[in-house]
Every structure is written in structure tokens, then in C-alpha cells.
Amino acid sequence: MFDKLKQKVFSSTREPRVLDIPPPGQINDNLIIYQSRSNYGVNFGSLFVLEKYIYGSLFSAGGDVEFDAVTNQVNSTGVDDAAKRLSDHYDAYLNKVDWGWLKSVGCTAIRLPVGYWHINNGALMSSDQKFYSLKDVYAKAAPWNRVKQVIAKANDNSIGVLIDLHALPGGANTGEHSGEQSGGTATFFGNSSYVSSVTNTMIPFMVQDLQSNENMVGIQIVNEADFDNDGSKEKSYYTKAVAKVRSVSGTWPIFISDGWWPQQFSDWAQSSNLYPDVVIDSHVYRCFSDSDKSKSVPQIIQDLPGSVQYDQTKADFVVGEFSCVLDQQSWNKTSGDHNTRVKQYGNTQTQLFTKEASVGWFFWTLQFEYGDGGEWGFVPMVNEGAIPKRPTSWNKPSDSDVQKIITDHVNYWADKGGDKMEHWRFEDGLKNTLLDIESFVAFNNSLLGRTCAWKHNRRAQYVRQKGDSQYMWEWDQGFDQALSNFNHY
């Protein structure tokens, strides 16, 4: 396994971490692929962190968030019955999952949202946390046991799992999906007790407990942090959490929230030298803001490329949530066939996300209690072609294709001092990165992802092997040329 690499992590308080991955052409460890490929994925929304519009029957005793719904159920029918309702829900949800279908359409990973109250079946909560009063319910309902079932079933189908700490004590946001409250004020980042509990107890437990599974994509330590112009508290938490994950696992990527400002956190990842460790999660919905509601569907589609731009030179990105839903006000301004427009919107999104987010994307969401979810539903959107199936083949470039790129590079610089340059570095960057791409393709036709971190690691290795140079920019260009020419279907 990849465990030995934990001992091969070169760390410094001033320099970005370098992971000593196997040489190009020799990547034969599945864990590397799971943690570093581009993803075509889906969320298991409302399996654990309950949302009323997805699984409404669990809110039958009243309430708009999970805490209120379960508390009201306990008050109405007792702890045992409330726990059984949850337990039955977990099993019913998982029994409906068609793993064979997910594999057949090319799903590479699932994003699995959990709340802090689910970890170790609630045993890690402290008395100052809201869900502590429901500790006995979750001990009996045993959600963490189902987390492990999901990971095992996914692994059987060569599908990865991103474990997503979707809901934190006090909330990172005030949405109903925080589990604790709808509206009010999110208090997690400003509460040192909450931060300490999650950082020092919950996160290390999750990584330690799950890291023996080779299909773990990584850990997401927050979902949809509220916008903060300063972001200092969020960055402090991220820094502590990265250090804690690294004390347990040398390889797991740590997924953070962009706080609705992607550039702020890619700049921070770069300046803090944490860019090899983190992946920035950005969510894209065009059905909520007044600005989007004021546009027609064709306008939204046209504006997408200008509104989704991630600086992949500074950090790796993933679109952890998106859907094909648009507000009725937008549809009221739109003519033409509805299904055709939905298909156009979905295809535009996935093409854009594949280009802009090196770690890929996860659709929201897989399934609903009643019906298929329509434009919120992964299954109908794939079946209707709004979300294209992942291709099953990759076109291997010929030797002449590769040589032409090298020749073009040499010719371009011929009258610009090229005779003094080190074009062999360009060739090394190009050919070695192609070998990496081929290694990923060999595992279920995957594509190389986390390209910012991957480039950093490969570059550091190359300098150690062949020395630094003023012409390392040629290696950089070779790496980039390999990605743009070959790392796609």
C-alpha cells in the first residue's frame, strides 16, 4: 500500500510539502489514483445530514433542521423509536443505491456528507455542542457503521469516497443543511471550544478510522463556509486541521470551502504554502440569487464561463455541488423546449467544471424519498443527457504527435536564444507527464487531477534528480503541454 509514503513527506515550516510519489510510468498503487484523479461524481445528499426537501418523512414530528426534527421525534415517541426511524432510513437509502449503474455511467467518486454528531455514532461530542442532547439516539441509530458500509460498497465498484464533514458545531453557515439552525448566526469559527473539538478529536478519529480503505479520496473539513471578507478565522481553522490530518496521514488531501470567494483562498493556499495539501471546494448554483433570477436561461448559460474561473496555478479546485435547477423566473424569460435547455445547461456546466476544476465535480444529489428529483436528481439528469456519461476510451497519442510538440517548441525558440536553452527539460516534462496520464488512464480510464499539487511534487522530484536551472520553465511548459494536449477524453 501507499502507507510507506507517510515517512517520505518532506516538510518545513517555510516550504510547501513535497510528496515523494513513484516515478513516472511506475504508478501502480490505486490509492494514488483515488486521491489524485479528476472526478465525475455525485453527492449522497440527505443520507446522513437530513434535508426536508429530500427526505421529508423524517421531519413528520415538526422542524426544519435535523436537530429539531429528531428532538421533536424523541419528545413524541421516545429515543428508541427516533433511533429506529433514523436507522431504517439509512438502510432504505443504501438499499436504493444502484452501484452497478453508478459504475456504468462512469462515476469515479461520491461525496458523503456527515454531521459532527454522526462521527463514531455520536461518541465524540462534548456537552457544549447542540446535538449532545441526542447522543443516545445516534448511538442506537449507528450512522458511522453505515459510513463504513458505503465505503466498502464503493470500493467494490472502484468508486472513491470523499468524506465530507458537512455540518460543524455551531455551524459554518446558517443553512438548513447545517443541521442545527435555519437563519441566525453561524458560530463555529469564532468558538475555540468547537474548533478544538473538531480539530483535535473528530478529524483525527475520522482519518485514523478510515485510512485503511484505499478508495478514500480525502476529507472535507467544512461545507459552504459563509462569506467573510477577512477570512482569518477560517484560515486559522484550515491551518490547524491540515496539520492534524498530516499527523495521521501523509497523503490525504484536505478539502476546504472557498467561502464564496475562490480567489481569496487560492491566494491563501499559495501564500501559506498549503497548496500541495488542500483542495478548494466551490459550489455553483444559478437558481438562488436575484441576479440569476433576473436572467433568462440562455443568458445564464452564456455568462457561466465568465462567472466560474479558478486560478489553478495557485491551488486545486473541485466543484463539490451543482445541479441543473434554474429558478422559475428565469424560465419565464425563456422560450424553446425546456428539456433541450436543461440539457444545454448541464452540458455547459460539466464541460466548464472539467476545464476549470482539476479535481472535477460532484452533482447534487443522488436520490430522493419520493420521485427522482428532476433537475436536482443525478439519475434523471444522466439518463436524459443533461449530465453526459463519462467516456470509456482515451486516445493515446502517437510518437509523432509527441515529437511534433517537441519540434514546435524547439523551432519557436530557435531565433530567440534557443541554442543556449535546455530543451531536454521540455521533453522530459512532456514525456514524463504523459506517462503519468497513461497510468491514470490504466485505472478505469481516469484522468490526472490535482494538477497543481501533482506538478509541484513532480517538479521538486525532477530538480532533486537533475538539478535546478534557469531553464526549469521549459520543464514547466512541457508539463503544461502534456496536460492540455493529452489529459482529456
Side-chain angles (χ1 to χ4, degrees):
M1 282 299 163
F2 200 24
D3 295 343
K4 293 180 181 178
L5 290 182
K6 294 177 194 173
Q7 308 305 320
K8 295 184 179 181
V9 176
F10 299 83
S11 62
S12 166
T13 56
R14 292 179 298 275
E15 297 297 324
R17 193 179 299 268
V18 177
L19 188 64
D20 194 11
I21 49 184
Q26 298 181 37
I27 299 172
N28 56 9
D29 195 314
N30 292 347
L31 182 60
I32 301 175
I33 308 295
Y34 280 116
Q35 294 184 351
S36 297
R37 67 176 168 180
S38 178
N39 286 295
Y40 173 109
V42 64
N43 285 271
F44 275 28
S46 208
L47 168 54
F48 297 118
V49 180
L50 304 179
E51 296 194 52
K52 195 172 185 177
Y53 79 102
I54 303 176
Y55 273 82
S57 68
L58 293 159
F59 294 77
S60 59
D64 293 322
V65 296
E66 181 167 346
F67 176 81
D68 291 341
V70 177
T71 299
N72 290 337
Q73 193 65 58
V74 169
N75 292 337
S76 175
T77 59
V79 167
D80 288 347
D81 181 69
K84 186 177 185 305
R85 287 171 184 260
L86 288 172
S87 181
D88 288 348
H89 161 68
Y90 303 147
D91 291 338
Y93 188 111
L94 293 176
N95 286 337
K96 283 176 63 178
V97 176
D98 188 341
W99 291 99
W101 180 85
L102 286 173
K103 184 176 183 179
S104 73
V105 301
C107 181
T108 63
I110 63 166
R111 182 170 177 260
L112 186 62
V114 299
Y116 70 90
W117 56 93
H118 297 118
I119 303 169
N120 199 22
N121 299 324
L124 303 184
M125 288 188 288
S126 55
S127 59
D128 62 336
Q129 295 166 0
K130 195 166 186 177
F131 269 87
Y132 185 82
S133 63
L134 298 173
K135 189 174 181 180
D136 291 345
V137 176
Y138 290 93
K140 293 175 183 290
W144 196 249
N145 299 20
R146 277 43 171 242
V147 167
K148 294 183 177 182
Q149 289 176 22
V150 172
I151 294 169
K153 289 292 291 185
N155 189 52
D156 289 343
N157 291 276
S158 301
I159 293 173
V161 177
L162 170 59
I163 189 76
D164 164 31
L165 189 45
H166 202 77
L168 296 164
N173 59 65
T174 59
E176 292 176 358
H177 50 79
S178 72
E180 291 195 350
Q181 61 191 22
S182 177
T185 303
T187 61
F188 171 75
F189 293 111
N191 187 310
S192 60
S193 175
Y194 291 165
V195 170
S196 177
S197 173
V198 171
T199 304
N200 297 328
T201 303
M202 295 182 180
I203 287 175
F205 171 84
M206 294 170 75
V207 179
Q208 185 68 51
D209 198 44
L210 302 178
Q211 67 175 343
S212 62
N213 300 283
E214 71 170 9
N215 64 324
M216 294 304 299
V217 172
I219 182 171
Q220 181 156 354
I221 59 173
V222 61
N223 171 67
E224 286 190 4
D226 278 346
F227 173 82
D228 186 331
N229 193 57
D230 174 58
S232 59
K233 293 177 180 177
E234 290 82 354
K235 295 168 188 174
S236 174
Y237 167 60
Y238 296 164
T239 302
K240 293 173 183 175
V242 168
K244 189 58 68 170
V245 172
R246 283 290 165 263
S247 72
V248 181
S249 167
T251 66
W252 274 34
I254 299 97
F255 289 63
I256 65 174
S257 171
D258 71 350
W260 306 102
W261 187 1
Q263 193 68 46
Q264 180 188 35
F265 284 95
S266 60
D267 288 346
W268 168 79
Q270 187 69 210
S271 64
S272 66
N273 284 335
L274 289 177
Y275 62 91
D277 297 286
V278 302
V279 174
I280 302 171
D281 177 24
S282 185
H283 294 178
V284 179
Y285 291 116
R286 293 293 177 262
C287 56
F288 295 126
S289 74
D290 290 339
S291 173
D292 286 325
K293 292 176 184 178
S294 71
K295 299 176 183 178
S296 68
V297 173
Q299 284 177 307
I300 289 174
I301 294 171
Q302 181 180 335
D303 291 348
L304 266 173
S307 64
V308 179
Q309 296 179 329
Y310 305 133
D311 191 345
Q312 297 181 83
T313 66
K314 292 185 175 179
D316 289 306
F317 281 85
V318 66
V319 177
E321 291 183 22
F322 74 103
S323 75
C324 290
V325 175
L326 294 168
D327 190 78
Q328 188 58 47
Q329 293 182 51
S330 294
W331 286 112
N332 291 342
K333 301 177 180 67
T334 302
S335 59
D337 180 68
H338 181 97
N339 291 339
T340 300
R341 294 294 193 190
V342 171
K343 185 174 180 178
Q344 183 184 7
Y345 178 51
N347 278 260
T348 300
Q349 287 189 103
T350 54
Q351 290 167 12
L352 178 62
F353 301 158
T354 299
K355 172 177 173 286
E356 289 290 331
S358 60
V359 184
W361 47 261
F362 293 84
F363 189 91
W364 187 273
T365 186
L366 178 65
Q367 64 187 28
F368 288 72
E369 184 173 18
Y370 304 112
D372 61 14
E375 285 143 30
W376 287 109
F378 185 63
V379 175
M381 290 299 94
V382 172
N383 288 340
E384 293 169 20
I387 302 298
K389 297 178 181 179
R390 190 167 63 89
T392 56
S393 62
W394 173 79
N395 294 321
K396 180 179 173 64
S398 66
D399 291 344
S400 61
D401 292 333
V402 176
Q403 187 57 49
K404 183 180 186 305
I405 295 171
I406 296 168
T407 301
D408 288 348
H409 175 83
V410 173
N411 290 342
Y412 177 82
W413 291 105
D415 60 352
K416 302 176 182 66
D419 57 321
K420 301 181 181 66
M421 295 176 184
E422 297 171 347
H423 296 323
W424 52 272
R425 292 185 184 270
F426 176 86
E427 184 172 349
D428 285 348
L430 180 76
K431 290 184 174 179
N432 287 338
T433 306
L434 177 55
L435 287 174
D436 281 336
I437 292 169
E438 290 175 334
S439 294
F440 277 74
V441 169
F443 185 83
N444 294 332
N445 208 42
S446 302
L447 295 178
L448 174 61
R450 285 184 72 205
T451 52
C452 181
W454 196 268
K455 183 177 183 179
H456 163 74
N457 289 323
R458 279 290 186 235
R459 193 183 202 278
Q461 286 180 339
Y462 187 80
V463 169
R464 289 202 305 271
Q465 293 163 359
K466 298 199 173 182
D468 207 348
S469 166
Q470 63 178 314
Y471 297 112
M472 270 301 294
W473 61 266
E474 293 199 74
W475 182 92
D476 292 334
Q477 288 195 0
F479 182 97
D480 294 343
Q481 284 281 319
L483 291 186
S484 62
N485 283 280
F486 310 130
N487 196 41
H488 55 75
Y489 298 117

